[in-house]
Amino acid sequence: MDKYAVFGNPIKHSKSPFIHTLFANQTGQQIIYDVIEAPLDSFKENLDLFFNSQGKGCNITAPFKEQAYEYAQQLTERARLAGAVNTLKLTDDGILIGDNTDGAGLVQDLKNNHIAIEEARILIVGAGGAARGVCGPLLAENPTELVIANRTYEKAQQLAALFPNDTRISACEIGQLSGTFNLIINSTSAGLHGQIPAINPDIIHPETAIYDMMYSAQITPFNAWAREQGARFVMDGLGMLVGQAAESFAIWRGLKPGAKQVLNELRQNLKN
Ligand code: ATR
């Protein structure tokens, strides 16, 4: 059976084996999908070991996505823009291709939920790796504007500067946000500490779609806050997780699995 895995540290609570096993069942594919917790100082040695023992492809999560980017022999354009790789595939010719499916996962989840990206005014809060991974794929869907706001303004500027020829993307001081947005995406890790980034609540209109890349069994702190400001439609990042996995599966197996049933099962699991 073809062998796949997810690499990370820590990785014990990864949902990826569950998701990919359901995808394999759904599409009638025979695969093995393991979880590999690589020591922080020997990620690349562990990848060597995996690919030298019949590994066909893998997912990579924190904190190894940048190292996977260096490890890949070839990069897709979206991985290059993201500066990080979450999917490696060994081709039949023995070439290791690095891709990044995070942005595609977000776009797919937004579309599944009928959130318009085209002609939308979009705000991304945060300017770390999570934000960087989704900028290119969002711009490819033709929003009117993509504003990056971050606690550390310079990082927002650096991120916007990765798209020098695109006038739709700009950086904004987090305290200077104004107007309303069609879509606000929280990519910060503030919620992990029960915190909310300090953004002006007036930018939330009842029709503003709110997307928190974080997910949890209960409503996330950012989404709870957005609801208090009157946002009617809030989503968390569980659908993005399933979406990026579906895209990775398609890269490896040539078949795109459906996300909906897997997402429902995962949501149920999260609650139990
Ligand atoms: P990731 O790869 O998940 O994006 P990261 O690179 O560490 O992780 O980035 C975390 C992001 O969350 C950053 O944009 C960070 O802001 P700074 O660049 O100013 O550090 C943001 N962040 C984390 N905690 C935050 C908080 N309490 N309020 C606002 N932003 C926060």
Side-chain angles (χ1 to χ4, degrees), residues 62 65-66 125-133 148-156 174 186-199 213:
K65 289 184 186 183
E66 284 79 13
V125 188
R132 183 171 171 184
I148 319 281
N150 191 44
R151 181 175 61 183
T152 311
Y153 176 55
E154 291 70 31
K155 276 170 69 181
I174 198 158
N186 177 32
S187 77
T188 72
S189 49
L192 295 176
H193 318 286
Q195 293 171 348
I196 293 150
I199 59 171
M213 284 196 193

PDB file of all heavy atoms in Angstrom, residues 62 65-66 125-133 148-156 174 186-199 213, ligand 1:
ATOM      1  N   ALA A  62       3.234  22.670  11.659  1.00  0.00           N
ATOM      2  CA  ALA A  62       4.149  23.432  12.508  1.00  0.00           C
ATOM      3  C   ALA A  62       5.051  22.497  13.317  1.00  0.00           C
ATOM      4  O   ALA A  62       4.590  21.463  13.776  1.00  0.00           O
ATOM      5  CB  ALA A  62       3.335  24.319  13.455  1.00  0.00           C
ATOM      6  N   LYS A  65       7.120  23.754   8.315  1.00  0.00           N
ATOM      7  CA  LYS A  65       6.731  24.093   6.936  1.00  0.00           C
ATOM      8  C   LYS A  65       7.826  24.841   6.164  1.00  0.00           C
ATOM      9  O   LYS A  65       7.974  24.659   4.959  1.00  0.00           O
ATOM     10  CB  LYS A  65       5.453  24.937   6.930  1.00  0.00           C
ATOM     11  CG  LYS A  65       4.203  24.149   7.310  1.00  0.00           C
ATOM     12  CD  LYS A  65       2.972  25.028   7.192  1.00  0.00           C
ATOM     13  CE  LYS A  65       1.736  24.318   7.707  1.00  0.00           C
ATOM     14  NZ  LYS A  65       0.521  25.120   7.546  1.00  0.00           N
ATOM     15  N   GLU A  66       8.600  25.655   6.875  1.00  0.00           N
ATOM     16  CA  GLU A  66       9.672  26.406   6.186  1.00  0.00           C
ATOM     17  C   GLU A  66      10.822  25.465   5.834  1.00  0.00           C
ATOM     18  O   GLU A  66      11.446  25.600   4.781  1.00  0.00           O
ATOM     19  CB  GLU A  66      10.177  27.573   7.045  1.00  0.00           C
ATOM     20  CG  GLU A  66       9.234  28.773   7.080  1.00  0.00           C
ATOM     21  CD  GLU A  66       8.053  28.598   8.033  1.00  0.00           C
ATOM     22  OE1 GLU A  66       8.090  27.657   8.864  1.00  0.00           O
ATOM     23  OE2 GLU A  66       7.087  29.390   7.940  1.00  0.00           O
ATOM     24  N   VAL A 125      -6.313  39.762   9.326  1.00  0.00           N
ATOM     25  CA  VAL A 125      -5.682  40.217  10.560  1.00  0.00           C
ATOM     26  C   VAL A 125      -4.565  39.229  10.871  1.00  0.00           C
ATOM     27  O   VAL A 125      -4.816  38.022  10.948  1.00  0.00           O
ATOM     28  CB  VAL A 125      -6.693  40.283  11.724  1.00  0.00           C
ATOM     29  CG1 VAL A 125      -6.045  40.946  12.936  1.00  0.00           C
ATOM     30  CG2 VAL A 125      -7.950  41.020  11.305  1.00  0.00           C
ATOM     31  N   GLY A 126      -3.352  39.765  11.061  1.00  0.00           N
ATOM     32  CA  GLY A 126      -2.185  38.916  11.284  1.00  0.00           C
ATOM     33  C   GLY A 126      -1.322  38.877  10.034  1.00  0.00           C
ATOM     34  O   GLY A 126      -1.835  39.043   8.916  1.00  0.00           O
ATOM     35  N   ALA A 127      -0.019  38.666  10.232  1.00  0.00           N
ATOM     36  CA  ALA A 127       0.890  38.665   9.083  1.00  0.00           C
ATOM     37  C   ALA A 127       1.974  37.604   9.237  1.00  0.00           C
ATOM     38  O   ALA A 127       3.084  37.756   8.743  1.00  0.00           O
ATOM     39  CB  ALA A 127       1.513  40.055   8.922  1.00  0.00           C
ATOM     40  N   GLY A 128       1.631  36.510   9.920  1.00  0.00           N
ATOM     41  CA  GLY A 128       2.576  35.406  10.073  1.00  0.00           C
ATOM     42  C   GLY A 128       2.454  34.434   8.916  1.00  0.00           C
ATOM     43  O   GLY A 128       1.888  34.762   7.855  1.00  0.00           O
ATOM     44  N   GLY A 129       2.945  33.232   9.130  1.00  0.00           N
ATOM     45  CA  GLY A 129       2.925  32.215   8.078  1.00  0.00           C
ATOM     46  C   GLY A 129       1.515  31.867   7.626  1.00  0.00           C
ATOM     47  O   GLY A 129       1.283  31.619   6.436  1.00  0.00           O
ATOM     48  N   ALA A 130       0.573  31.855   8.552  1.00  0.00           N
ATOM     49  CA  ALA A 130      -0.806  31.504   8.204  1.00  0.00           C
ATOM     50  C   ALA A 130      -1.395  32.525   7.232  1.00  0.00           C
ATOM     51  O   ALA A 130      -2.079  32.169   6.268  1.00  0.00           O
ATOM     52  CB  ALA A 130      -1.655  31.414   9.468  1.00  0.00           C
ATOM     53  N   ALA A 131      -1.108  33.796   7.473  1.00  0.00           N
ATOM     54  CA  ALA A 131      -1.602  34.855   6.582  1.00  0.00           C
ATOM     55  C   ALA A 131      -0.910  34.761   5.221  1.00  0.00           C
ATOM     56  O   ALA A 131      -1.552  34.828   4.166  1.00  0.00           O
ATOM     57  CB  ALA A 131      -1.348  36.228   7.209  1.00  0.00           C
ATOM     58  N   ARG A 132       0.393  34.570   5.264  1.00  0.00           N
ATOM     59  CA  ARG A 132       1.157  34.535   4.013  1.00  0.00           C
ATOM     60  C   ARG A 132       0.673  33.413   3.097  1.00  0.00           C
ATOM     61  O   ARG A 132       0.602  33.580   1.872  1.00  0.00           O
ATOM     62  CB  ARG A 132       2.657  34.380   4.323  1.00  0.00           C
ATOM     63  CG  ARG A 132       3.479  34.408   3.069  1.00  0.00           C
ATOM     64  CD  ARG A 132       4.959  34.482   3.326  1.00  0.00           C
ATOM     65  NE  ARG A 132       5.655  34.285   2.057  1.00  0.00           N
ATOM     66  CZ  ARG A 132       6.956  34.214   1.926  1.00  0.00           C
ATOM     67  NH1 ARG A 132       7.732  34.330   2.983  1.00  0.00           N
ATOM     68  NH2 ARG A 132       7.502  34.043   0.740  1.00  0.00           N
ATOM     69  N   GLY A 133       0.316  32.279   3.694  1.00  0.00           N
ATOM     70  CA  GLY A 133      -0.106  31.124   2.907  1.00  0.00           C
ATOM     71  C   GLY A 133      -1.373  31.355   2.106  1.00  0.00           C
ATOM     72  O   GLY A 133      -1.617  30.658   1.127  1.00  0.00           O
ATOM     73  N   ILE A 148      -3.989  43.963   4.815  1.00  0.00           N
ATOM     74  CA  ILE A 148      -3.333  43.170   5.864  1.00  0.00           C
ATOM     75  C   ILE A 148      -3.112  44.098   7.059  1.00  0.00           C
ATOM     76  O   ILE A 148      -2.477  45.146   6.918  1.00  0.00           O
ATOM     77  CB  ILE A 148      -1.927  42.668   5.449  1.00  0.00           C
ATOM     78  CG1 ILE A 148      -1.904  42.184   4.004  1.00  0.00           C
ATOM     79  CG2 ILE A 148      -1.393  41.632   6.434  1.00  0.00           C
ATOM     80  CD1 ILE A 148      -2.439  40.840   3.765  1.00  0.00           C
ATOM     81  N   ALA A 149      -3.630  43.717   8.210  1.00  0.00           N
ATOM     82  CA  ALA A 149      -3.395  44.510   9.429  1.00  0.00           C
ATOM     83  C   ALA A 149      -2.748  43.595  10.457  1.00  0.00           C
ATOM     84  O   ALA A 149      -3.174  42.456  10.626  1.00  0.00           O
ATOM     85  CB  ALA A 149      -4.714  45.050   9.971  1.00  0.00           C
ATOM     86  N   ASN A 150      -1.727  44.100  11.095  1.00  0.00           N
ATOM     87  CA  ASN A 150      -1.019  43.264  12.070  1.00  0.00           C
ATOM     88  C   ASN A 150      -0.564  44.106  13.256  1.00  0.00           C
ATOM     89  O   ASN A 150      -0.292  45.302  13.105  1.00  0.00           O
ATOM     90  CB  ASN A 150       0.204  42.623  11.397  1.00  0.00           C
ATOM     91  CG  ASN A 150       0.820  41.543  12.246  1.00  0.00           C
ATOM     92  OD1 ASN A 150       0.106  40.716  12.812  1.00  0.00           O
ATOM     93  ND2 ASN A 150       2.137  41.543  12.371  1.00  0.00           N
ATOM     94  N   ARG A 151      -0.509  43.451  14.425  1.00  0.00           N
ATOM     95  CA  ARG A 151      -0.042  44.134  15.643  1.00  0.00           C
ATOM     96  C   ARG A 151       1.317  44.782  15.368  1.00  0.00           C
ATOM     97  O   ARG A 151       1.552  45.939  15.727  1.00  0.00           O
ATOM     98  CB  ARG A 151       0.061  43.093  16.769  1.00  0.00           C
ATOM     99  CG  ARG A 151       0.510  43.625  18.083  1.00  0.00           C
ATOM    100  CD  ARG A 151       0.448  42.539  19.131  1.00  0.00           C
ATOM    101  NE  ARG A 151       1.325  41.399  18.811  1.00  0.00           N
ATOM    102  CZ  ARG A 151       1.409  40.299  19.538  1.00  0.00           C
ATOM    103  NH1 ARG A 151       0.661  40.170  20.633  1.00  0.00           N
ATOM    104  NH2 ARG A 151       2.221  39.320  19.202  1.00  0.00           N
ATOM    105  N   THR A 152       2.208  44.044  14.740  1.00  0.00           N
ATOM    106  CA  THR A 152       3.505  44.609  14.328  1.00  0.00           C
ATOM    107  C   THR A 152       3.351  45.044  12.867  1.00  0.00           C
ATOM    108  O   THR A 152       3.345  44.210  11.952  1.00  0.00           O
ATOM    109  CB  THR A 152       4.618  43.541  14.458  1.00  0.00           C
ATOM    110  OG1 THR A 152       4.512  42.940  15.745  1.00  0.00           O
ATOM    111  CG2 THR A 152       5.989  44.146  14.264  1.00  0.00           C
ATOM    112  N   TYR A 153       3.228  46.350  12.678  1.00  0.00           N
ATOM    113  CA  TYR A 153       2.880  46.882  11.358  1.00  0.00           C
ATOM    114  C   TYR A 153       3.896  46.490  10.283  1.00  0.00           C
ATOM    115  O   TYR A 153       3.535  46.165   9.148  1.00  0.00           O
ATOM    116  CB  TYR A 153       2.746  48.411  11.461  1.00  0.00           C
ATOM    117  CG  TYR A 153       2.474  49.097  10.152  1.00  0.00           C
ATOM    118  CD1 TYR A 153       1.393  48.734   9.359  1.00  0.00           C
ATOM    119  CD2 TYR A 153       3.312  50.134   9.711  1.00  0.00           C
ATOM    120  CE1 TYR A 153       1.137  49.364   8.154  1.00  0.00           C
ATOM    121  CE2 TYR A 153       3.061  50.772   8.517  1.00  0.00           C
ATOM    122  CZ  TYR A 153       1.988  50.384   7.731  1.00  0.00           C
ATOM    123  OH  TYR A 153       1.745  51.009   6.543  1.00  0.00           O
ATOM    124  N   GLU A 154       5.189  46.481  10.657  1.00  0.00           N
ATOM    125  CA  GLU A 154       6.241  46.201   9.671  1.00  0.00           C
ATOM    126  C   GLU A 154       6.024  44.833   9.006  1.00  0.00           C
ATOM    127  O   GLU A 154       6.306  44.662   7.816  1.00  0.00           O
ATOM    128  CB  GLU A 154       7.634  46.214  10.327  1.00  0.00           C
ATOM    129  CG  GLU A 154       8.116  47.584  10.782  1.00  0.00           C
ATOM    130  CD  GLU A 154       7.354  48.118  11.985  1.00  0.00           C
ATOM    131  OE1 GLU A 154       6.893  47.288  12.822  1.00  0.00           O
ATOM    132  OE2 GLU A 154       7.175  49.343  12.077  1.00  0.00           O
ATOM    133  N   LYS A 155       5.521  43.882   9.784  1.00  0.00           N
ATOM    134  CA  LYS A 155       5.316  42.541   9.205  1.00  0.00           C
ATOM    135  C   LYS A 155       4.182  42.562   8.180  1.00  0.00           C
ATOM    136  O   LYS A 155       4.232  41.848   7.178  1.00  0.00           O
ATOM    137  CB  LYS A 155       5.052  41.519  10.315  1.00  0.00           C
ATOM    138  CG  LYS A 155       6.363  40.996  10.905  1.00  0.00           C
ATOM    139  CD  LYS A 155       6.184  40.173  12.151  1.00  0.00           C
ATOM    140  CE  LYS A 155       5.529  38.832  11.942  1.00  0.00           C
ATOM    141  NZ  LYS A 155       5.374  38.096  13.242  1.00  0.00           N
ATOM    142  N   ALA A 156       3.188  43.389   8.420  1.00  0.00           N
ATOM    143  CA  ALA A 156       2.100  43.529   7.437  1.00  0.00           C
ATOM    144  C   ALA A 156       2.651  44.163   6.158  1.00  0.00           C
ATOM    145  O   ALA A 156       2.317  43.747   5.040  1.00  0.00           O
ATOM    146  CB  ALA A 156       0.976  44.375   8.019  1.00  0.00           C
ATOM    147  N   ILE A 174      -2.918  48.334  12.626  1.00  0.00           N
ATOM    148  CA  ILE A 174      -4.077  47.618  13.168  1.00  0.00           C
ATOM    149  C   ILE A 174      -5.070  48.581  13.840  1.00  0.00           C
ATOM    150  O   ILE A 174      -6.286  48.355  13.821  1.00  0.00           O
ATOM    151  CB  ILE A 174      -3.638  46.475  14.120  1.00  0.00           C
ATOM    152  CG1 ILE A 174      -4.781  45.481  14.304  1.00  0.00           C
ATOM    153  CG2 ILE A 174      -3.119  46.997  15.451  1.00  0.00           C
ATOM    154  CD1 ILE A 174      -4.365  44.106  14.747  1.00  0.00           C
ATOM    155  N   ASN A 186      -9.337  36.115  10.475  1.00  0.00           N
ATOM    156  CA  ASN A 186      -8.383  36.202  11.579  1.00  0.00           C
ATOM    157  C   ASN A 186      -7.345  35.098  11.424  1.00  0.00           C
ATOM    158  O   ASN A 186      -7.667  33.914  11.540  1.00  0.00           O
ATOM    159  CB  ASN A 186      -9.109  36.051  12.920  1.00  0.00           C
ATOM    160  CG  ASN A 186      -8.132  36.069  14.084  1.00  0.00           C
ATOM    161  OD1 ASN A 186      -7.090  36.741  14.027  1.00  0.00           O
ATOM    162  ND2 ASN A 186      -8.436  35.329  15.134  1.00  0.00           N
ATOM    163  N   SER A 187      -6.103  35.505  11.158  1.00  0.00           N
ATOM    164  CA  SER A 187      -5.033  34.508  11.009  1.00  0.00           C
ATOM    165  C   SER A 187      -4.082  34.556  12.199  1.00  0.00           C
ATOM    166  O   SER A 187      -3.053  33.885  12.184  1.00  0.00           O
ATOM    167  CB  SER A 187      -4.238  34.782   9.719  1.00  0.00           C
ATOM    168  OG  SER A 187      -3.356  35.880   9.905  1.00  0.00           O
ATOM    169  N   THR A 188      -4.408  35.360  13.206  1.00  0.00           N
ATOM    170  CA  THR A 188      -3.477  35.495  14.335  1.00  0.00           C
ATOM    171  C   THR A 188      -3.579  34.283  15.262  1.00  0.00           C
ATOM    172  O   THR A 188      -4.561  33.536  15.235  1.00  0.00           O
ATOM    173  CB  THR A 188      -3.773  36.752  15.189  1.00  0.00           C
ATOM    174  OG1 THR A 188      -4.975  36.543  15.938  1.00  0.00           O
ATOM    175  CG2 THR A 188      -3.888  38.000  14.343  1.00  0.00           C
ATOM    176  N   SER A 189      -2.559  34.148  16.108  1.00  0.00           N
ATOM    177  CA  SER A 189      -2.586  33.067  17.096  1.00  0.00           C
ATOM    178  C   SER A 189      -3.111  33.581  18.433  1.00  0.00           C
ATOM    179  O   SER A 189      -3.016  32.889  19.443  1.00  0.00           O
ATOM    180  CB  SER A 189      -1.177  32.484  17.245  1.00  0.00           C
ATOM    181  OG  SER A 189      -0.233  33.518  17.430  1.00  0.00           O
ATOM    182  N   ALA A 190      -3.675  34.797  18.434  1.00  0.00           N
ATOM    183  CA  ALA A 190      -4.155  35.411  19.689  1.00  0.00           C
ATOM    184  C   ALA A 190      -5.159  34.499  20.411  1.00  0.00           C
ATOM    185  O   ALA A 190      -5.127  34.370  21.631  1.00  0.00           O
ATOM    186  CB  ALA A 190      -4.797  36.768  19.394  1.00  0.00           C
ATOM    187  N   GLY A 191      -6.034  33.855  19.649  1.00  0.00           N
ATOM    188  CA  GLY A 191      -7.088  33.014  20.229  1.00  0.00           C
ATOM    189  C   GLY A 191      -6.550  31.841  21.035  1.00  0.00           C
ATOM    190  O   GLY A 191      -7.217  31.353  21.951  1.00  0.00           O
ATOM    191  N   LEU A 192      -5.337  31.387  20.696  1.00  0.00           N
ATOM    192  CA  LEU A 192      -4.731  30.272  21.437  1.00  0.00           C
ATOM    193  C   LEU A 192      -4.527  30.653  22.894  1.00  0.00           C
ATOM    194  O   LEU A 192      -4.469  29.801  23.770  1.00  0.00           O
ATOM    195  CB  LEU A 192      -3.378  29.888  20.817  1.00  0.00           C
ATOM    196  CG  LEU A 192      -3.400  29.322  19.402  1.00  0.00           C
ATOM    197  CD1 LEU A 192      -1.991  29.074  18.896  1.00  0.00           C
ATOM    198  CD2 LEU A 192      -4.207  28.031  19.364  1.00  0.00           C
ATOM    199  N   HIS A 193      -4.419  31.963  23.136  1.00  0.00           N
ATOM    200  CA  HIS A 193      -4.245  32.454  24.502  1.00  0.00           C
ATOM    201  C   HIS A 193      -5.517  33.145  24.992  1.00  0.00           C
ATOM    202  O   HIS A 193      -5.485  33.954  25.913  1.00  0.00           O
ATOM    203  CB  HIS A 193      -3.055  33.423  24.570  1.00  0.00           C
ATOM    204  CG  HIS A 193      -1.882  32.952  23.780  1.00  0.00           C
ATOM    205  ND1 HIS A 193      -1.084  31.922  24.202  1.00  0.00           N
ATOM    206  CD2 HIS A 193      -1.394  33.317  22.556  1.00  0.00           C
ATOM    207  CE1 HIS A 193      -0.161  31.673  23.287  1.00  0.00           C
ATOM    208  NE2 HIS A 193      -0.331  32.512  22.282  1.00  0.00           N
ATOM    209  N   GLY A 194      -6.619  32.852  24.325  1.00  0.00           N
ATOM    210  CA  GLY A 194      -7.900  33.446  24.716  1.00  0.00           C
ATOM    211  C   GLY A 194      -7.968  34.942  24.434  1.00  0.00           C
ATOM    212  O   GLY A 194      -8.816  35.641  24.995  1.00  0.00           O
ATOM    213  N   GLN A 195      -7.071  35.432  23.559  1.00  0.00           N
ATOM    214  CA  GLN A 195      -7.051  36.871  23.288  1.00  0.00           C
ATOM    215  C   GLN A 195      -7.658  37.196  21.925  1.00  0.00           C
ATOM    216  O   GLN A 195      -7.829  36.313  21.083  1.00  0.00           O
ATOM    217  CB  GLN A 195      -5.613  37.393  23.351  1.00  0.00           C
ATOM    218  CG  GLN A 195      -5.051  37.306  24.754  1.00  0.00           C
ATOM    219  CD  GLN A 195      -3.567  37.622  24.803  1.00  0.00           C
ATOM    220  OE1 GLN A 195      -2.889  37.697  23.769  1.00  0.00           O
ATOM    221  NE2 GLN A 195      -3.051  37.797  26.001  1.00  0.00           N
ATOM    222  N   ILE A 196      -7.941  38.490  21.763  1.00  0.00           N
ATOM    223  CA  ILE A 196      -8.532  38.957  20.505  1.00  0.00           C
ATOM    224  C   ILE A 196      -7.665  40.104  19.999  1.00  0.00           C
ATOM    225  O   ILE A 196      -7.310  40.992  20.778  1.00  0.00           O
ATOM    226  CB  ILE A 196      -9.964  39.469  20.769  1.00  0.00           C
ATOM    227  CG1 ILE A 196     -10.857  38.288  21.170  1.00  0.00           C
ATOM    228  CG2 ILE A 196     -10.558  40.176  19.575  1.00  0.00           C
ATOM    229  CD1 ILE A 196     -11.947  38.690  22.093  1.00  0.00           C
ATOM    230  N   PRO A 197      -7.291  40.110  18.715  1.00  0.00           N
ATOM    231  CA  PRO A 197      -6.496  41.239  18.219  1.00  0.00           C
ATOM    232  C   PRO A 197      -7.286  42.542  18.345  1.00  0.00           C
ATOM    233  O   PRO A 197      -8.514  42.540  18.198  1.00  0.00           O
ATOM    234  CB  PRO A 197      -6.232  40.876  16.754  1.00  0.00           C
ATOM    235  CG  PRO A 197      -7.199  39.797  16.408  1.00  0.00           C
ATOM    236  CD  PRO A 197      -7.582  39.113  17.679  1.00  0.00           C
ATOM    237  N   ALA A 198      -6.566  43.617  18.621  1.00  0.00           N
ATOM    238  CA  ALA A 198      -7.232  44.893  18.912  1.00  0.00           C
ATOM    239  C   ALA A 198      -7.636  45.603  17.628  1.00  0.00           C
ATOM    240  O   ALA A 198      -6.960  46.511  17.152  1.00  0.00           O
ATOM    241  CB  ALA A 198      -6.290  45.767  19.737  1.00  0.00           C
ATOM    242  N   ILE A 199      -8.757  45.191  17.034  1.00  0.00           N
ATOM    243  CA  ILE A 199      -9.236  45.884  15.831  1.00  0.00           C
ATOM    244  C   ILE A 199     -10.498  46.670  16.152  1.00  0.00           C
ATOM    245  O   ILE A 199     -11.265  46.306  17.044  1.00  0.00           O
ATOM    246  CB  ILE A 199      -9.471  44.921  14.638  1.00  0.00           C
ATOM    247  CG1 ILE A 199     -10.498  43.841  14.972  1.00  0.00           C
ATOM    248  CG2 ILE A 199      -8.176  44.295  14.175  1.00  0.00           C
ATOM    249  CD1 ILE A 199     -10.925  43.009  13.774  1.00  0.00           C
ATOM    250  N   MET A 213      -9.292  31.406  11.370  1.00  0.00           N
ATOM    251  CA  MET A 213      -8.546  30.216  10.930  1.00  0.00           C
ATOM    252  C   MET A 213      -8.380  29.198  12.056  1.00  0.00           C
ATOM    253  O   MET A 213      -8.107  28.039  11.813  1.00  0.00           O
ATOM    254  CB  MET A 213      -7.167  30.623  10.418  1.00  0.00           C
ATOM    255  CG  MET A 213      -7.203  31.254   9.051  1.00  0.00           C
ATOM    256  SD  MET A 213      -5.524  31.239   8.418  1.00  0.00           S
ATOM    257  CE  MET A 213      -5.694  32.342   7.052  1.00  0.00           C
TER     258      MET A 213
HETATM  259  P1  ATR B   1       1.462  31.625  12.116  1.00  0.00           P
HETATM  260  O1  ATR B   1       2.475  30.909  11.304  1.00  0.00           O
HETATM  261  O2  ATR B   1       0.398  30.734  12.716  1.00  0.00           O
HETATM  262  O3  ATR B   1       0.855  32.769  11.391  1.00  0.00           O
HETATM  263  P2  ATR B   1       3.227  33.385  13.574  1.00  0.00           P
HETATM  264  O4  ATR B   1       4.131  33.524  12.409  1.00  0.00           O
HETATM  265  O5  ATR B   1       3.821  33.229  14.942  1.00  0.00           O
HETATM  266  O6  ATR B   1       2.240  32.150  13.424  1.00  0.00           O
HETATM  267  O7  ATR B   1       2.226  34.640  13.556  1.00  0.00           O
HETATM  268  C1  ATR B   1       1.312  34.855  14.558  1.00  0.00           C
HETATM  269  C2  ATR B   1       0.490  36.081  14.183  1.00  0.00           C
HETATM  270  O8  ATR B   1      -0.466  36.325  15.227  1.00  0.00           O
HETATM  271  C3  ATR B   1       1.306  37.350  14.059  1.00  0.00           C
HETATM  272  O9  ATR B   1       0.702  38.161  13.068  1.00  0.00           O
HETATM  273  C4  ATR B   1       1.153  37.978  15.446  1.00  0.00           C
HETATM  274  O10 ATR B   1       1.350  39.382  15.481  1.00  0.00           O
HETATM  275  P3  ATR B   1       2.841  39.979  15.607  1.00  0.00           P
HETATM  276  O11 ATR B   1       3.458  39.874  14.249  1.00  0.00           O
HETATM  277  O12 ATR B   1       2.632  41.375  16.043  1.00  0.00           O
HETATM  278  O13 ATR B   1       3.543  39.127  16.638  1.00  0.00           O
HETATM  279  C5  ATR B   1      -0.285  37.662  15.719  1.00  0.00           C
HETATM  280  N1  ATR B   1      -0.642  37.681  17.148  1.00  0.00           N
HETATM  281  C6  ATR B   1      -0.334  36.779  18.092  1.00  0.00           C
HETATM  282  N2  ATR B   1      -0.873  37.122  19.289  1.00  0.00           N
HETATM  283  C7  ATR B   1      -1.551  38.270  19.078  1.00  0.00           C
HETATM  284  C8  ATR B   1      -2.351  39.133  19.910  1.00  0.00           C
HETATM  285  N3  ATR B   1      -2.536  38.858  21.202  1.00  0.00           N
HETATM  286  N4  ATR B   1      -2.915  40.218  19.344  1.00  0.00           N
HETATM  287  C9  ATR B   1      -2.725  40.489  18.037  1.00  0.00           C
HETATM  288  N5  ATR B   1      -1.997  39.726  17.193  1.00  0.00           N
HETATM  289  C10 ATR B   1      -1.419  38.639  17.711  1.00  0.00           C
END
